[in-house]
Amino acid sequence: QVQLVESGGGLVQAGGSLRLSCAASGRTFSTAAMAWFRQTPGKEREFVAAITWNAGNPVYADSMKGRFTISRDSAKNTMYLQMNSLKPEDTAVYYCAADPNPYSSEYRNYAYWGQGTQVTVSS
């Protein structure tokens, strides 16, 4: 099993930045891909970005590209999401996810999830 613990959420003004962290523990060696998703009440969980654990190749949703950067520190078993130029529409609960299968943008394909961290962007 893989356990995921998120941190870094909070309240920020529009145009500001936040860095989310997701620390992984357990059988992390079996993880092939990790990803960030976000969800607003009443809406389906939305893909944000993903990264292959070994090579560190990033993939972004089109609306996130240029503002968000996903990365990982293999020595710390930690994944990050650097969010810049934040907008009120970025307000959501952000979740990290992991799976032993290769990268996917579909949340249903991920077996392990963090607890979520709230990001609120004020105007």
Side-chain angles (χ1 to χ4, degrees):
Q1 296 186 35
V2 176
Q3 294 79 45
L4 304 173
V5 180
E6 301 177 8
S7 62
L11 176 65
V12 66
Q13 292 184 330
S17 299
L18 284 174
R19 189 179 76 162
L20 306 183
S21 300
C22 180
S25 61
R27 294 186 175 272
T28 57
F29 56 83
S30 65
T31 299
M34 296 186 70
W36 290 97
F37 291 82
R38 67 185 186 185
Q39 188 166 25
T40 301
K43 294 185 178 181
E44 192 172 82
R45 191 162 297 185
E46 178 186 19
F47 173 73
V48 176
I51 191 166
T52 59
W53 193 251
N54 290 331
N57 298 127
V59 180
Y60 300 94
D62 288 340
S63 61
M64 319 300 173
K65 189 175 296 184
R67 297 192 300 126
F68 293 4
T69 302
I70 189 171
S71 62
R72 92 280 188 262
D73 186 336
S74 59
K76 296 181 178 180
N77 290 321
T78 302
M79 178 180 64
Y80 305 96
L81 183 68
Q82 178 67 45
M83 304 186 294
N84 299 323
S85 301
L86 284 165
K87 305 173 182 179
E89 50 263 44
D90 294 319
T91 296
V93 177
Y94 285 72
Y95 298 90
C96 61
D99 199 88
N101 296 308
Y103 151 79
S104 173
S105 61
E106 293 291 334
Y107 72 86
R108 297 174 183 87
N109 292 334
Y110 287 85
Y112 307 106
W113 291 86
Q115 78 283 1
T117 184
Q118 177 71 47
V119 172
T120 302
V121 184
S122 64
S123 59

